[in-house]
Amino acid sequence: MDFSSKLLENAVNEVSRLPGIGKRTALRLVLHLLKQPTENTKYLTEALSLLRNEVKSCKKCHNISDTELCDICANPNRNAEVVCVVEDIRDVMAIENTGQFRGLYHVLRGKISPIEGVGPQNLQIESLVEKVKEGEVKELIFALSSTMEGDTTNFYIYKQIEQYKITTSTIARGISVGDELEYADEVTLGRSIVNRIPFEQSIKG
C-alpha cells in the first residue's frame, strides 16, 4: 500500500495494530478522522489518554474501574457470598446486561493457554483462592467460555479450592461449546446463569 504522506502511513500502521483491524480498515478510519473537525479528534485523543493513564483495576475483583473499588463491589445490595468467575470485563458487561445475577465478580484477566504462554501465574487466580480461604465466598460460579482453555482454567481453579467448604457451579450449557460469553444473547446467557449446575457434574461427562 503506497502512501502519499509518511504521517498518514504512520497513523494507519498504528491503527492497524488493533485487533481485527486490517490496513484497509485502518486507512478508512484514519481518513474519516481527517475529515472531522479538529475538536472531534482532540476529544478522541484526550479520551484515550485519560483511559490509558487514569483507569484503575478494582482492588477486589480486578474489573476495570475509575476508582479503587468498582461500582459493583461497592454496591451493598450485591450478594458478596456468590462470586462469578469470568475472563474479562466484556463478560461482566454481558452478564450484567441479563439482569439475572446479583452477586459479585472475579475477573481473571485471561485464561490458561500454554500455546499462548499464559499460565496460572499470569492470571488473577491467587487472589481468588485467597478469597475462598478467608471464607467470605460461599459459591463460585465458573462462567468462562466453553473452550478447551476455559475448561482447563475452570478445572485448575477447582483443584486449588476443592479442600475448602464452598459450592462450585458452572453456567448451564445453553452456551454452545466453543462460544465466547460476550457473543451469547442475553436471554440464553441469563438462563445459563440461573440454571447453573454443580461443577463436579460438568466434569464427570
Side-chain angles (χ1 to χ4, degrees):
M1 189 177 290
D2 294 325
F3 293 91
S4 58
S5 163
K6 192 65 178 177
L7 294 175
L8 175 64
E9 181 179 2
N10 290 341
V12 169
N13 287 339
E14 291 304 315
V15 173
S16 67
R17 293 175 187 269
L18 297 171
I21 303 294
K23 283 287 180 69
R24 292 187 182 280
T25 301
L27 176 60
R28 189 166 66 250
L29 292 172
V30 170
L31 291 177
H32 172 76
L33 288 173
L34 280 176
K35 293 177 183 177
Q36 302 305 303
T38 304
E39 311 85 70
N40 290 12
T41 309
K42 181 182 177 183
Y43 295 148
L44 174 60
T45 303
E46 288 177 350
L48 292 174
S49 180
L50 285 171
L51 172 69
R52 194 66 186 89
N53 296 322
E54 297 189 18
V55 74
K56 295 176 175 61
S57 174
C58 174
K59 64 181 181 181
K60 190 169 183 179
C61 73
H62 310 292
N63 195 4
I64 292 174
S65 175
D66 293 340
T67 54
E68 286 193 358
L69 202 62
C70 72
D71 291 343
I72 296 174
C73 288
N75 187 343
N77 295 318
R78 305 291 293 220
N79 183 0
E81 294 186 343
V82 181
V83 172
C84 188
V85 182
V86 297
E87 181 181 346
D88 60 33
I89 187 175
R90 293 171 297 180
D91 301 327
V92 173
M93 295 169 67
I95 294 173
E96 283 297 287
N97 285 338
T98 70
Q100 297 294 317
F101 182 65
R102 297 304 300 165
L104 300 181
Y105 296 91
H106 186 92
V107 182
L108 295 175
R109 296 291 182 88
K111 52 195 172 188
I112 296 172
S113 177
I115 294 178
E116 296 179 5
V118 180
Q121 71 281 0
N122 303 119
L123 307 176
Q124 294 294 343
I125 292 178
E126 187 175 339
S127 58
L128 175 60
V129 175
E130 283 302 314
K131 286 180 187 178
V132 174
K133 283 182 180 179
E134 291 167 4
E136 59 182 278
V137 182
K138 303 302 180 187
E139 180 185 3
L140 277 189
I141 303 172
F142 295 117
L144 301 186
S145 53
S146 52
T147 60
M148 182 177 293
E149 293 82 5
D151 290 342
T152 298
T153 307
N154 287 340
F155 187 70
Y156 178 86
I157 295 172
Y158 172 73
K159 297 302 289 183
Q160 300 302 304
I161 62 169
E162 65 176 338
Q163 60 184 300
Y164 303 103
K165 291 182 179 179
I166 182 173
T167 299
T168 53
S169 58
T170 183
I171 56 176
R173 294 297 190 181
I175 309 299
S176 301
V177 173
D179 280 358
E180 297 289 346
L181 229 60
E182 62 176 305
Y183 299 122
D185 67 89
E186 293 175 9
V187 174
T188 300
L189 182 54
R191 287 175 178 168
S192 294
I193 290 288
V194 171
N195 299 320
R196 58 187 181 273
I197 61 175
F199 182 72
E200 293 90 340
Q201 183 177 327
S202 74
I203 60 178
K204 285 178 180 176

